[in-house]
Coordinates of all heavy atoms in Angstrom, one line a residue:
M1 N -46.0 59.0 37.8 CA -44.8 58.7 38.4 C -44.7 57.1 38.7 O -45.6 56.6 39.3 CB -44.6 59.5 39.7 CG -43.3 59.3 40.5 SD -42.0 60.2 39.4 CE -40.6 59.9 40.4
I2 N -43.7 56.4 38.2 CA -43.6 55.0 38.3 C -42.6 54.8 39.5 O -41.5 55.5 39.7 CB -43.1 54.3 37.1 CG1 -43.2 52.8 37.3 CG2 -41.8 54.9 36.6 CD1 -43.1 52.1 36.0
H3 N -42.9 53.8 40.4 CA -41.9 53.5 41.5 C -40.7 52.9 40.8 O -40.7 52.2 39.9 CB -42.6 52.5 42.4 CG -41.9 52.2 43.7 ND1 -40.9 51.4 43.7 CD2 -42.1 52.7 44.9 CE1 -40.4 51.5 44.9 NE2 -41.1 52.3 45.7
P4 N -39.6 53.3 41.5 CA -38.3 52.7 40.9 C -38.2 51.2 40.9 O -37.6 50.6 39.9 CB -37.3 53.2 42.0 CG -37.8 54.4 42.5 CD -39.4 54.2 42.6
A5 N -38.9 50.5 41.8 CA -38.9 48.9 41.7 C -39.6 48.6 40.5 O -39.2 47.6 39.7 CB -39.5 48.3 42.9
D6 N -40.7 49.0 40.1 CA -41.5 48.8 38.9 C -40.8 49.2 37.7 O -40.8 48.6 36.7 CB -42.8 49.5 38.9 CG -43.8 49.0 40.1 OD1 -43.5 47.9 40.4 OD2 -44.5 49.8 40.5
E7 N -40.1 50.4 37.8 CA -39.3 50.9 36.6 C -38.2 49.9 36.3 O -37.9 49.6 35.2 CB -38.7 52.2 36.8 CG -37.9 52.8 35.7 CD -37.3 54.1 36.0 OE1 -37.4 54.6 37.1 OE2 -36.7 54.7 35.0
L8 N -37.5 49.4 37.4 CA -36.4 48.4 37.2 C -37.0 47.1 36.5 O -36.3 46.6 35.6 CB -35.6 48.1 38.5 CG -34.5 47.1 38.4 CD1 -33.4 47.6 37.5 CD2 -34.0 46.8 39.9
A9 N -38.1 46.6 37.0 CA -38.8 45.4 36.3 C -39.0 45.6 34.9 O -38.7 44.8 34.1 CB -39.9 45.1 37.2
L10 N -39.5 46.8 34.6 CA -39.9 47.1 33.1 C -38.7 47.3 32.4 O -38.5 46.7 31.2 CB -40.7 48.4 33.0 CG -42.2 48.4 33.6 CD1 -42.8 49.8 33.7 CD2 -42.9 47.3 32.8
L11 N -37.6 47.9 33.0 CA -36.3 47.9 32.2 C -35.8 46.7 31.9 O -35.2 46.4 30.8 CB -35.3 48.7 33.0 CG -35.5 50.3 32.9 CD1 -34.6 50.9 34.0 CD2 -35.3 50.8 31.6
R12 N -35.7 45.7 32.9 CA -35.3 44.4 32.7 C -36.1 43.6 31.6 O -35.4 42.8 30.8 CB -35.2 43.6 33.9 CG -34.1 44.2 34.9 CD -33.8 43.5 36.0 NE -32.6 43.9 36.8 CZ -32.1 43.5 37.8 NH1 -32.8 42.5 38.4 NH2 -31.1 44.0 38.5
I13 N -37.3 43.9 31.5 CA -38.2 43.2 30.4 C -37.6 43.7 29.1 O -37.5 43.0 28.2 CB -39.6 43.3 30.7 CG1 -40.1 42.6 32.0 CG2 -40.4 43.1 29.4 CD1 -41.5 43.0 32.4
D14 N -37.5 45.0 29.0 CA -37.0 45.6 27.8 C -35.6 45.1 27.4 O -35.3 44.8 26.2 CB -37.0 47.2 27.9 CG -38.3 47.8 27.9 OD1 -39.3 47.1 27.5 OD2 -38.5 49.0 28.2
I15 N -34.8 45.0 28.4 CA -33.3 44.6 28.2 C -33.5 43.1 27.6 O -32.7 42.8 26.6 CB -32.5 44.7 29.4 CG1 -32.3 46.1 29.7 CG2 -31.3 43.9 29.2 CD1 -31.6 46.3 31.0
D16 N -34.2 42.2 28.2 CA -34.3 40.9 27.8 C -34.9 40.8 26.3 O -34.3 40.0 25.6 CB -35.2 40.0 28.7 CG -34.7 39.7 30.0 OD1 -33.4 39.8 30.2 OD2 -35.4 39.4 30.9
R17 N -35.9 41.6 26.1 CA -36.4 41.7 24.6 C -35.4 42.2 23.6 O -35.2 41.6 22.6 CB -37.7 42.6 24.6 CG -38.3 42.7 23.2 CD -39.5 43.8 23.3 NE -39.1 45.0 23.7 CZ -38.4 46.0 23.1 NH1 -38.1 45.6 21.7 NH2 -38.1 47.2 23.5
L18 N -34.5 43.2 24.1 CA -33.6 43.7 23.1 C -32.5 42.7 22.9 O -31.9 42.5 21.9 CB -33.1 45.1 23.7 CG -34.0 46.2 23.7 CD1 -33.4 47.4 24.4 CD2 -34.1 46.6 22.2
K19 N -32.0 41.9 24.0 CA -31.1 40.9 23.9 C -31.4 39.7 23.0 O -30.7 39.4 22.2 CB -30.7 40.4 25.2 CG -29.8 41.3 26.0 CD -29.4 40.6 27.3 CE -28.5 41.6 28.2 NZ -28.2 41.0 29.5
Q20 N -32.7 39.5 23.0 CA -33.2 38.4 22.1 C -33.2 38.9 20.7 O -32.8 38.2 19.7 CB -34.7 38.0 22.5 CG -34.8 37.2 23.8 CD -36.2 36.9 24.2 OE1 -37.1 37.1 23.4 NE2 -36.4 36.5 25.4
R21 N -33.5 40.2 20.5 CA -33.6 40.7 19.1 C -32.2 40.8 18.6 O -31.8 40.6 17.4 CB -34.3 42.2 19.1 CG -34.3 42.7 17.8 CD -35.1 42.0 16.8 NE -35.2 42.7 15.5 CZ -35.5 42.1 14.4 NH1 -35.8 40.9 14.3 NH2 -35.5 42.9 13.3
E22 N -31.3 41.2 19.5 CA -29.8 41.3 19.1 C -29.2 39.9 18.8 O -28.6 39.7 17.7 CB -29.0 41.9 20.3 CG -27.5 41.9 19.9 CD -26.6 42.4 21.2 OE1 -27.1 42.3 22.2 OE2 -25.4 42.8 20.9
A23 N -29.6 38.9 19.5 CA -29.2 37.5 19.1 C -29.7 37.1 17.8 O -28.9 36.5 17.0 CB -29.6 36.7 20.2
F24 N -30.9 37.4 17.5 CA -31.5 37.1 16.2 C -30.8 37.8 15.0 O -30.4 37.1 14.1 CB -33.0 37.4 16.2 CG -33.6 37.3 14.9 CD1 -34.0 36.1 14.4 CD2 -33.7 38.5 14.1 CE1 -34.7 36.1 13.1 CE2 -34.3 38.4 12.7 CZ -34.9 37.2 12.3
L25 N -30.6 39.0 15.3 CA -29.8 39.9 14.2 C -28.4 39.3 14.0 O -27.9 39.2 13.0 CB -29.8 41.4 14.4 CG -31.2 42.0 14.4 CD1 -31.1 43.4 15.1 CD2 -31.7 42.0 13.0
R26 N -27.7 39.2 15.1 CA -26.3 38.6 15.1 C -26.2 37.3 14.4 O -25.4 37.2 13.6 CB -25.8 38.4 16.6 CG -24.4 38.0 16.6 CD -23.9 38.0 18.1 NE -22.5 37.8 18.2 CZ -21.9 36.7 18.1 NH1 -22.6 35.5 17.8 NH2 -20.6 36.6 18.2
K27 N -27.2 36.3 14.7 CA -27.2 35.1 13.9 C -27.5 35.3 12.5 O -26.8 34.7 11.6 CB -28.3 34.3 14.5 CG -28.4 32.8 14.0 CD -29.4 32.0 14.7 CE -29.5 30.6 14.1 NZ -30.6 29.8 14.7
G28 N -28.3 36.3 12.1 CA -28.5 36.6 10.6 C -27.3 37.1 10.0 O -27.0 36.8 8.9
F29 N -26.6 38.1 10.6 CA -25.5 38.7 10.0 C -24.3 37.6 9.9 O -23.7 37.4 8.8 CB -24.9 39.7 10.9 CG -25.9 41.0 10.9 CD1 -26.2 41.6 12.0 CD2 -26.2 41.5 9.6 CE1 -27.1 42.6 11.9 CE2 -27.0 42.6 9.5 CZ -27.5 43.2 10.7
L30 N -24.1 36.8 11.0 CA -23.0 35.7 10.9 C -23.4 34.7 9.8 O -22.5 34.2 9.1 CB -22.9 35.2 12.3 CG -22.3 36.0 13.3 CD1 -22.2 35.3 14.7 CD2 -20.8 36.3 12.9
G31 N -24.7 34.3 9.7 CA -25.1 33.3 8.7 C -25.2 33.9 7.3 O -25.7 33.3 6.4
Q32 N -24.9 35.3 7.1 CA -25.1 36.0 5.9 C -26.4 36.0 5.3 O -26.7 36.0 4.0 CB -24.0 35.4 4.8 CG -22.7 35.6 5.5 CD -21.6 35.1 4.4 OE1 -22.0 34.3 3.6 NE2 -20.4 35.5 4.7
S33 N -27.5 35.7 6.2 CA -28.9 35.8 5.6 C -29.5 37.2 5.7 O -30.6 37.5 5.2 CB -29.8 34.8 6.3 OG -29.8 35.2 7.8
L34 N -28.7 38.2 6.4 CA -29.1 39.6 6.4 C -28.1 40.4 5.8 O -26.8 40.1 5.9 CB -29.2 40.0 7.9 CG -30.4 39.4 8.7 CD1 -30.4 39.8 10.3 CD2 -31.8 39.7 8.1
S35 N -28.5 41.5 5.1 CA -27.6 42.4 4.5 C -26.9 43.2 5.5 O -27.5 43.6 6.6 CB -28.3 43.3 3.6 OG -27.4 44.4 3.2
C36 N -25.6 43.5 5.4 CA -24.7 44.2 6.4 C -24.8 45.7 6.3 O -24.2 46.5 7.0 CB -23.3 43.6 6.4 SG -23.1 42.0 7.1
H37 N -25.5 46.2 5.1 CA -25.5 47.5 4.9 C -26.8 48.2 4.9 O -27.8 47.8 4.2 CB -25.0 47.7 3.3 CG -23.7 47.1 3.3 ND1 -22.5 47.7 3.7 CD2 -23.2 46.1 2.5 CE1 -21.4 47.0 3.4 NE2 -21.8 45.9 2.6
G38 N -27.0 49.1 5.8 CA -28.3 49.7 6.0 C -28.3 51.1 5.7 O -27.2 51.5 5.1
A39 N -29.2 51.9 5.7 CA -29.2 53.4 5.3 C -28.3 54.2 6.3 O -27.5 55.1 5.7 CB -30.6 53.9 5.4
N40 N -28.1 53.8 7.5 CA -27.3 54.6 8.5 C -26.3 53.9 9.2 O -25.5 54.5 10.0 CB -28.3 55.3 9.7 CG -29.4 56.0 9.1 OD1 -29.1 57.0 8.4 ND2 -30.6 55.7 9.4
A41 N -26.1 52.6 8.9 CA -25.2 51.8 9.7 C -24.7 50.7 8.7 O -25.4 50.1 7.9 CB -25.6 51.3 11.0
T42 N -23.5 50.2 8.9 CA -22.9 48.9 8.2 C -22.4 48.0 9.3 O -21.8 48.5 10.5 CB -21.7 49.4 7.3 OG1 -22.3 50.3 6.4 CG2 -21.1 48.2 6.7
V43 N -22.8 46.8 9.2 CA -22.3 45.7 10.2 C -20.8 45.2 9.6 O -20.9 44.7 8.4 CB -23.3 44.7 10.4 CG1 -22.8 43.5 11.2 CG2 -24.5 45.3 11.1
E44 N -19.9 45.2 10.4 CA -18.7 44.5 10.1 C -18.4 43.3 10.9 O -18.6 43.3 12.1 CB -17.6 45.6 10.2 CG -17.5 46.6 9.3 CD -16.5 47.7 9.7 OE1 -15.7 47.5 10.6 OE2 -16.2 48.6 8.8
I45 N -18.0 42.3 10.4 CA -17.8 40.9 11.1 C -16.3 40.8 11.0 O -15.7 40.8 9.9 CB -18.5 39.8 10.3 CG1 -20.0 40.0 10.5 CG2 -18.2 38.5 11.0 CD1 -20.8 39.1 9.7
T46 N -15.8 40.6 12.2 CA -14.3 40.4 12.3 C -14.0 39.1 13.1 O -14.9 38.6 13.8 CB -13.5 41.6 13.1 OG1 -14.1 41.8 14.3 CG2 -13.8 42.8 12.2
S47 N -12.8 38.6 12.9 CA -12.5 37.3 13.6 C -11.1 37.5 14.4 O -10.3 38.3 13.8 CB -12.4 36.2 12.7 OG -12.1 35.0 13.3
F48 N -11.0 37.0 15.5 CA -9.7 37.1 16.2 C -9.5 35.9 17.0 O -10.4 35.1 17.4 CB -9.8 38.4 17.1 CG -10.7 38.5 18.2 CD1 -10.5 38.0 19.5 CD2 -12.0 39.0 17.9 CE1 -11.5 38.1 20.5 CE2 -12.9 38.9 18.8 CZ -12.7 38.6 20.2
R49 N -8.3 35.7 17.4 CA -7.9 34.5 18.2 C -7.9 35.0 19.8 O -7.5 36.2 20.0 CB -6.6 34.0 17.9 CG -6.6 33.4 16.6 CD -5.3 32.6 16.3 NE -5.3 32.0 15.1 CZ -5.7 30.7 14.9 NH1 -6.4 30.1 15.8 NH2 -5.7 30.2 13.7
Q50 N -8.2 34.1 20.7 CA -8.3 34.5 22.0 C -7.7 33.3 22.8 O -8.2 32.2 22.6 CB -9.6 34.8 22.5 CG -9.7 35.3 24.0 CD -11.2 35.6 24.4 OE1 -12.0 35.7 23.5 NE2 -11.4 35.9 25.6
R51 N -6.8 33.6 23.7 CA -6.2 32.5 24.6 C -7.1 32.4 25.7 O -7.7 33.3 26.3 CB -4.9 32.8 25.1 CG -3.8 32.8 24.0 CD -2.5 33.0 24.5 NE -2.1 32.2 25.4 CZ -1.0 32.3 26.2 NH1 -0.1 33.3 26.0 NH2 -0.7 31.4 27.2
R52 N -7.3 31.1 26.1 CA -8.2 30.7 27.3 C -7.5 29.6 28.1 O -7.0 28.8 27.7 CB -9.5 30.2 26.8 CG -10.5 30.0 27.8 CD -11.9 29.7 27.2 NE -12.0 28.7 26.1 CZ -12.3 27.5 26.2 NH1 -12.9 27.1 27.2 NH2 -12.3 26.7 25.2
F53 N -7.4 30.0 29.4 CA -6.8 29.0 30.3 C -7.6 27.9 30.7 O -8.9 28.2 31.0 CB -6.3 29.7 31.7 CG -5.6 28.9 32.5 CD1 -4.2 28.7 32.4 CD2 -6.2 28.4 33.7 CE1 -3.6 27.8 33.2 CE2 -5.4 27.7 34.6 CZ -4.2 27.2 34.2
R54 N -7.1 26.7 30.5 CA -8.0 25.5 30.6 C -7.8 24.9 32.0 O -7.0 23.9 32.3 CB -7.7 24.4 29.5 CG -7.9 24.8 28.1 CD -9.4 24.7 27.9 NE -9.9 23.4 28.3 CZ -9.9 22.2 27.4 NH1 -9.4 22.3 26.3 NH2 -10.4 21.2 27.9
H55 N -8.4 25.5 33.0 CA -8.2 25.0 34.3 C -8.7 23.7 34.6 O -8.4 23.0 35.5 CB -8.9 26.1 35.3 CG -10.3 26.1 35.3 ND1 -11.0 26.8 34.4 CD2 -11.3 25.4 36.1 CE1 -12.3 26.6 34.6 NE2 -12.4 25.8 35.5
D56 N -9.6 23.2 33.8 CA -10.2 21.9 33.9 C -9.2 20.8 33.6 O -9.4 19.6 34.0 CB -11.4 21.7 32.9 CG -11.1 22.0 31.5 OD1 -10.5 23.0 31.2 OD2 -11.6 21.2 30.6
L57 N -8.1 21.1 33.0 CA -7.1 20.2 32.7 C -6.0 20.1 33.8 O -5.1 19.2 33.8 CB -6.3 20.5 31.4 CG -7.2 20.5 30.2 CD1 -6.4 21.1 29.0 CD2 -7.7 19.2 29.9
L58 N -6.1 20.9 34.8 CA -5.2 20.7 36.0 C -5.5 19.4 36.8 O -6.7 19.1 36.9 CB -5.4 22.1 37.0 CG -4.9 23.4 36.4 CD1 -5.3 24.6 37.4 CD2 -3.4 23.3 36.4
P59 N -4.5 19.0 37.4 CA -4.8 17.9 38.2 C -5.8 18.2 39.4 O -5.8 19.4 40.0 CB -3.5 17.5 39.0 CG -2.4 18.2 38.1 CD -3.1 19.4 37.4
S60 N -6.7 17.3 39.7 CA -7.7 17.7 40.7 C -7.1 18.0 42.1 O -7.7 18.7 42.9 CB -8.7 16.5 40.9 OG -7.9 15.3 41.4
L61 N -5.8 17.5 42.4 CA -5.2 17.9 43.6 C -5.0 19.4 43.7 O -5.1 20.0 44.8 CB -3.8 17.1 43.7 CG -3.1 17.5 44.9 CD1 -3.6 16.8 46.1 CD2 -1.6 16.7 44.8
I62 N -4.6 19.9 42.7 CA -4.5 21.6 42.5 C -5.9 22.2 42.4 O -6.1 23.2 43.0 CB -3.5 22.0 41.5 CG1 -2.2 21.4 41.6 CG2 -3.5 23.4 41.2 CD1 -1.2 21.5 40.6
R63 N -6.7 21.7 41.6 CA -8.0 22.3 41.2 C -8.9 22.3 42.5 O -9.7 23.2 42.6 CB -8.7 21.5 40.1 CG -9.7 22.3 39.3 CD -10.3 21.5 38.3 NE -10.7 20.1 38.5 CZ -10.2 19.1 38.0 NH1 -9.3 19.1 37.0 NH2 -10.6 17.8 38.3
D64 N -8.8 21.4 43.4 CA -9.6 21.2 44.5 C -9.0 21.8 45.8 O -9.8 21.9 46.9 CB -10.0 19.7 44.8 CG -10.9 19.1 43.7 OD1 -11.4 19.9 42.8 OD2 -10.8 17.9 43.5
D65 N -7.8 22.2 45.7 CA -7.2 22.9 46.8 C -7.6 24.3 47.1 O -7.5 25.2 46.3 CB -5.7 22.9 46.7 CG -4.8 23.3 47.9 OD1 -5.3 23.9 48.7 OD2 -3.7 22.8 47.9
S66 N -8.3 24.6 48.3 CA -8.8 25.9 48.6 C -7.7 27.0 48.6 O -8.1 28.1 48.5 CB -9.5 25.9 50.0 OG -8.6 25.5 50.9
F67 N -6.5 26.7 48.7 CA -5.4 27.5 48.6 C -5.5 28.5 47.4 O -5.2 29.7 47.3 CB -4.0 27.0 48.8 CG -3.0 27.9 48.7 CD1 -2.5 28.8 49.7 CD2 -2.1 28.0 47.5 CE1 -1.5 29.6 49.6 CE2 -1.1 28.8 47.4 CZ -0.8 29.7 48.4
Y68 N -5.8 27.8 46.3 CA -5.9 28.4 45.0 C -7.2 29.3 44.7 O -7.3 29.7 43.6 CB -5.5 27.5 43.9 CG -4.2 26.8 44.0 CD1 -4.0 25.5 44.5 CD2 -3.0 27.4 43.7 CE1 -2.7 25.0 44.6 CE2 -1.8 27.0 43.8 CZ -1.6 25.7 44.3 OH -0.3 25.1 44.5
W69 N -8.1 29.2 45.5 CA -9.4 29.9 45.2 C -9.5 31.1 46.1 O -9.1 31.1 47.2 CB -10.6 28.8 45.5 CG -10.6 27.7 44.6 CD1 -9.9 26.5 44.6 CD2 -11.4 27.7 43.3 NE1 -10.1 25.8 43.6 CE2 -11.1 26.5 42.8 CE3 -12.2 28.6 42.8 CZ2 -11.6 26.2 41.5 CZ3 -12.9 28.2 41.6 CH2 -12.4 27.1 40.9
Q70 N -10.3 32.0 45.6 CA -10.7 33.2 46.3 C -12.2 33.3 46.4 O -12.9 33.0 45.4 CB -10.1 34.4 45.6 CG -10.5 35.7 46.2 CD -9.9 36.9 45.5 OE1 -8.7 36.8 45.0 NE2 -10.6 37.9 45.3
E71 N -12.7 33.5 47.5 CA -14.2 33.7 47.7 C -14.5 35.1 47.8 O -13.8 35.9 48.6 CB -14.5 33.0 48.9 CG -16.1 32.9 49.0 CD -16.6 32.0 50.1 OE1 -16.1 30.9 50.2 OE2 -17.3 32.5 51.0
D72 N -15.4 35.7 46.9 CA -15.8 37.0 46.9 C -17.4 37.1 47.3 O -18.0 36.2 47.1 CB -15.7 37.7 45.6 CG -14.3 37.7 45.1 OD1 -13.4 38.0 46.0 OD2 -13.9 37.6 44.0
Q73 N -17.7 38.3 47.8 CA -19.1 38.4 48.3 C -19.7 39.4 47.1 O -19.2 40.3 46.8 CB -19.2 39.1 49.6 CG -20.7 39.2 49.9 CD -21.0 39.8 51.3 OE1 -20.0 39.9 52.1 NE2 -22.2 40.1 51.6
I74 N -20.7 38.9 46.4 CA -21.3 39.5 45.3 C -22.8 39.9 45.7 O -23.5 39.2 46.2 CB -21.4 38.7 44.0 CG1 -19.9 38.3 43.7 CG2 -22.0 39.4 42.9 CD1 -19.8 37.2 42.7
K75 N -23.0 41.2 45.5 CA -24.4 41.7 45.8 C -25.2 41.6 44.5 O -24.7 42.1 43.4 CB -24.4 43.1 46.3 CG -23.8 43.2 47.7 CD -23.9 44.6 48.3 CE -23.3 44.5 49.8 NZ -23.6 45.9 50.3
Q76 N -26.4 41.1 44.6 CA -27.2 40.8 43.4 C -28.5 41.6 43.6 O -29.1 41.5 44.7 CB -27.5 39.4 43.1 CG -28.3 39.2 41.9 CD -28.4 37.6 41.7 OE1 -27.7 36.9 42.4 NE2 -29.2 37.3 40.8
V77 N -29.1 42.3 42.6 CA -30.4 43.0 42.8 C -31.4 42.1 41.9 O -31.2 42.0 40.6 CB -30.4 44.4 42.2 CG1 -31.8 44.9 42.2 CG2 -29.4 45.2 43.0
T78 N -32.4 41.5 42.6 CA -33.3 40.7 41.9 C -34.7 41.4 41.9 O -35.1 42.1 42.9 CB -33.4 39.3 42.6 OG1 -32.2 38.7 42.8 CG2 -34.4 38.4 41.9
V79 N -35.4 41.2 40.8 CA -36.7 41.8 40.7 C -37.8 40.7 40.7 O -37.5 39.7 39.9 CB -36.9 42.7 39.5 CG1 -38.3 43.3 39.4 CG2 -35.9 43.8 39.6
R80 N -38.8 40.6 41.5 CA -39.8 39.6 41.3 C -41.2 40.2 41.4 O -41.3 41.3 42.2 CB -39.6 38.6 42.5 CG -39.6 39.2 43.9 CD -39.5 38.0 45.0 NE -39.3 38.6 46.2 CZ -40.3 39.1 47.0 NH1 -41.5 39.0 46.5 NH2 -40.0 39.6 48.3
P81 N -42.1 39.7 40.9 CA -43.5 40.2 40.9 C -44.1 40.2 42.3 O -43.7 39.4 43.1 CB -44.4 39.3 40.0 CG -43.4 38.3 39.3 CD -42.1 38.5 40.1
R82 N -44.8 41.2 42.6 CA -45.5 41.2 43.9 C -46.7 40.4 44.0 O -47.4 40.2 43.2 CB -45.9 42.7 44.2 CG -45.0 43.4 45.2 CD -45.4 44.8 45.4 NE -45.8 44.9 46.8 CZ -46.2 46.0 47.4 NH1 -46.2 47.1 46.8 NH2 -46.6 46.1 48.7

């Protein structure tokens, strides 16, 4: 039986490893250095447009005014070695 804190630490290590592997594969598919057709799956690459609000272009008078900002409290779970 593994303690939940230790399990969470191990899960996060696995998640980091999987994210690195995913990034490697994604780069290979996008760069067309990997085949997109496997025995059980096919990778499809699609492209789309996305609008993004450029708040950095607002005048600093508006950008720095606290009236336009909302402060939220966020809870974070951190794992550190003992």
Side-chain angles (χ1 to χ4, degrees):
M1 185 75 185
I2 186 170
H3 189 278
D6 296 330
E7 183 181 6
L8 181 59
L10 291 173
L11 284 171
R12 289 192 173 174
I13 290 169
D14 286 345
I15 289 169
D16 287 342
R17 180 183 56 78
L18 290 169
K19 283 183 178 180
Q20 289 176 13
R21 181 63 179 162
E22 179 188 20
F24 171 81
L25 293 171
R26 184 178 188 279
K27 184 177 178 181
F29 291 127
L30 290 174
Q32 298 179 343
S33 60
L34 295 176
S35 171
C36 292
H37 303 288
N40 300 309
T42 299
V43 172
E44 295 178 353
I45 298 170
T46 58
S47 179
F48 62 93
R49 293 189 181 275
Q50 181 177 358
R51 288 180 61 185
R52 189 168 44 106
F53 184 73
R54 296 283 312 270
H55 70 277
D56 58 315
L57 298 178
L58 290 172
S60 61
L61 182 66
I62 294 173
R63 200 173 53 238
D64 298 337
D65 189 336
S66 62
F67 175 79
Y68 297 103
W69 289 89
Q70 175 179 322
E71 188 172 304
D72 297 323
Q73 183 175 353
I74 299 169
K75 292 185 179 183
Q76 180 177 354
V77 177
T78 304
V79 178
R80 58 180 171 77
R82 253 180 114 172

